[in-house]
Amino acid sequence: MNDAVHKTSAEVDPASGGRIRQRNAALILSAAEKVFAASGFNGASMAEIAAAAGLPKANLHYYFGTKEALYRAVLTNIIELWLGETHGITPEADPAEALGAYVRAKMRWSRERPDASRVIANELIHGAAFLTPYLEDDLRRLVDEKSAVIEQWIEAGRIAKLDPRHLFFSLWAMTQTYADFDLQIRAVLGGGPLSDAEYEHATEQVVAFVLRGCGLTPRG
Amino acid sequence: MNDAVHKTSAEVDPASGGRIRQRNAALILSAAEKVFAASGFNGASMAEIAAAAGLPKANLHYYFGTKEALYRAVLTNIIELWLGETHGITPEADPAEALGAYVRAKMRWSRERPDASRVIANELIHGAAFLTPYLEDDLRRLVDEKSAVIEQWIEAGRIAKLDPRHLFFSLWAMTQTYADFDLQIRAVLGGGPLSDAEYEHATEQVVAFVLRGCGLTPRG
DNA sequence: AAAAAGTTTGACCGAACGGTCAACTTGTTT
DNA sequence: AAACAAGTTGACCGTTCGGTCAAACTTTTT
């Protein structure tokens, strides 16, 4: 009952509060992202997350209330990153440069935050109950905007004639596959985690493929 | 104890047995694929699968023993389809025709068996504990073979210079995204399930993008 | 330094789950 | 039609899980 005061403040703004609260909330969020990515929402247990965070289970409930609230907090943290990185796609920009930078940024994201990508992927495969508002509002608006830019490029003959929306689907798929289906890639390439050089090679392959697919050349 | 006779026969060869066994096993497998795709291994409950199959829960255990065994049976059923469709990629074939056919086949698979694709995707995102042998043996061997073919094409100047393995990663990602991340695509395109015409359009977009990306033209 | 607010923790609870079982019915064989 | 195998089913069991709580402890405020 009297605990409601704490819980409410945590739910409204998880980043607020004193040093201790902020530090522990971050600790829990980080552990939760890892465990949710590895096991999915249902497969992950609060006890497992607590162990990963090095805290007793009751502590997680103190900060986040319920498992679902913790999951939403993890997703909210990720979504901002997920929608970003399209700022280079403008009517004035050079198509090859802008698309190349976008692909590289996406590949970097898959490299540096694979767990974040996996959480999103998992959520999309299953109902995406919580993600739907973001998909239908923010993401759709973003794609509408950037598609208009690409259509201008097409009309100006600066890029091959294609459906911009399906181009985005392909770009997301090609880049995020290096995070989501990492295991498949490792198995085919024959072994452990990709080295920096291997990942750089992968990035350049995707960039080159995309630019050619858009009727562009890396140089010029 | 005496039930072990039934279970053993079911585990060794789920497709064997009398009419009733075959019919019910197929019913359960179909329901299980749907539920596993929608909820993942951990999220799916035997009771839910039983309800979807229209059978009492104990019945599933009679045919498949454990939840894990049922899951393995579902995966085994899918893997054969998943590895197929590369037969058109041969040294003598026309690259544009062969790759176009492969992409179209993959797109068709995403359209007709989205649940199967989602089960695989889910398994890959999480540890793929059960899939790993197939990845490291069958899939790797298949990719090695087909990569050699594509390298021949490259040396003969019939296709752009690229790393065949990463080409396959991109092809799988681009096509399976229409099954796995269907929700994202629907949200961006603004609404319900894709019509046949819309899906055909998507297929042609992907085919054109891939062929251009490989330095090929749809005609000639 | 006392009071208040914030934080920690082990023990506990009800619900849901995978799995078992024995009694029963249906199908098959001879 | 008798005997046996195959299939069905509701009730039940132990475990695990998300969540609660009260009591203790620590930090901040005054």
Side-chain angles (χ1 to χ4, degrees):
Chain A
M1 276 296 183
N2 51 346
D3 281 3
V5 179
H6 311 149
K7 285 177 186 171
T8 300
S9 75
E11 283 163 11
V12 167
D13 186 1
S16 75
R19 304 188 336 275
I20 298 175
R21 183 173 210 93
Q22 232 163 319
R23 195 186 54 111
N24 283 348
L27 222 92
I28 293 167
L29 280 172
S30 168
E33 182 179 298
K34 195 187 304 183
V35 175
F36 280 133
S39 310
F41 177 77
N42 288 292
S45 75
M46 292 299 273
E48 197 182 350
I49 297 171
L55 294 171
K57 192 185 66 167
N59 212 312
L60 312 205
H61 284 105
Y62 172 70
Y63 282 111
F64 290 94
T66 68
K67 184 186 182 183
E68 195 187 310
L70 173 56
Y71 185 64
R72 292 163 90 98
V74 168
L75 277 177
T76 304
N77 245 18
I78 295 173
I79 283 172
E80 296 162 24
L81 301 167
W82 183 47
L83 292 178
E85 300 294 356
T86 57
H87 53 265
I89 299 174
T90 64
E92 303 80 23
D94 173 59
E97 210 169 305
L99 288 176
Y102 181 61
V103 169
R104 275 180 238 270
K106 276 271 168 194
M107 287 294 283
R108 213 176 308 121
W109 195 67
S110 284
R111 177 69 161 175
E112 285 163 14
R113 296 290 301 271
D115 283 335
S117 184
R118 278 189 273 260
V119 169
I120 295 275
N122 198 68
E123 182 66 11
L124 280 175
I125 290 178
H126 313 116
F130 173 70
L131 228 53
T132 302
Y134 290 92
L135 294 175
E136 294 180 347
D137 295 348
D138 307 60
L139 182 64
R140 194 181 169 188
R141 188 177 306 113
L142 188 76
V143 172
D144 282 351
E145 278 175 29
K146 297 307 172 182
S147 291
V149 171
I150 292 176
E151 260 151 18
Q152 282 184 251
W153 289 350
I154 293 172
E155 279 161 27
R158 305 173 65 195
I159 189 176
K161 196 179 169 194
L162 45 72
D163 187 326
R165 266 158 272 256
H166 290 279
L167 171 62
F168 277 112
F169 301 153
S170 283
L171 296 187
W172 298 335
M174 284 186 286
T175 54
Q176 286 170 21
T177 201
Y178 285 90
D180 303 341
F181 305 143
D182 169 55
L183 249 106
Q184 189 180 37
I185 284 159
R186 278 158 62 166
V188 168
L189 296 184
L194 272 64
S195 68
D196 285 349
E198 283 173 314
Y199 203 83
E200 186 112 357
H201 172 68
T203 301
E204 292 315 310
Q205 285 296 311
V206 175
V207 168
F209 184 75
V210 167
L211 293 187
R212 246 185 277 119
C214 292
L216 302 166
T217 48
R219 294 279 165 266
Chain B
M1 277 294 184
N2 51 347
D3 281 1
V5 179
H6 311 149
K7 286 178 185 172
T8 299
S9 77
E11 283 164 11
V12 167
D13 185 1
S16 75
R19 307 187 334 275
I20 299 175
R21 182 172 211 94
Q22 233 164 318
R23 194 186 55 110
N24 282 348
L27 223 93
I28 293 167
L29 279 172
S30 169
E33 182 179 299
K34 196 186 305 182
V35 176
F36 280 134
S39 309
F41 177 78
N42 288 291
S45 76
M46 292 299 273
E48 197 183 351
I49 297 171
L55 294 170
K57 192 184 66 168
N59 212 313
L60 311 205
H61 284 103
Y62 173 71
Y63 283 109
F64 290 94
T66 67
K67 184 186 182 182
E68 194 187 311
L70 173 56
Y71 185 64
R72 292 163 90 97
V74 169
L75 277 177
T76 303
N77 245 20
I78 295 173
I79 284 173
E80 296 163 24
L81 301 167
W82 182 47
L83 292 178
E85 299 294 355
T86 57
H87 53 267
I89 299 175
T90 63
E92 303 79 23
D94 174 60
E97 210 168 304
L99 288 176
Y102 180 62
V103 169
R104 273 180 240 270
K106 276 272 169 193
M107 287 296 283
R108 214 176 307 122
W109 195 67
S110 284
R111 177 69 161 176
E112 285 163 12
R113 296 290 301 271
D115 283 335
S117 185
R118 279 187 273 259
V119 169
I120 295 275
N122 198 69
E123 182 66 11
L124 280 176
I125 291 178
H126 312 118
F130 174 70
L131 228 52
T132 303
Y134 290 91
L135 294 175
E136 294 180 347
D137 295 347
D138 306 59
L139 182 64
R140 193 180 170 188
R141 188 178 304 113
L142 188 77
V143 173
D144 282 351
E145 279 175 28
K146 297 307 174 183
S147 292
V149 171
I150 292 176
E151 261 151 19
Q152 282 184 251
W153 289 350
I154 294 172
E155 280 160 27
R158 305 173 66 196
I159 189 176
K161 194 179 172 194
L162 44 72
D163 186 326
R165 266 158 271 256
H166 290 279
L167 172 62
F168 276 112
F169 301 152
S170 284
L171 296 186
W172 297 336
M174 284 186 287
T175 54
Q176 286 170 19
T177 201
Y178 285 91
D180 303 340
F181 305 142
D182 170 54
L183 249 107
Q184 189 180 36
I185 284 159
R186 277 157 62 166
V188 168
L189 296 183
L194 272 63
S195 69
D196 285 350
E198 283 173 313
Y199 203 83
E200 186 112 359
H201 172 68
T203 301
E204 292 316 310
Q205 286 295 313
V206 174
V207 168
F209 184 75
V210 166
L211 294 186
R212 245 185 277 119
C214 293
L216 302 165
T217 49
R219 294 281 166 262

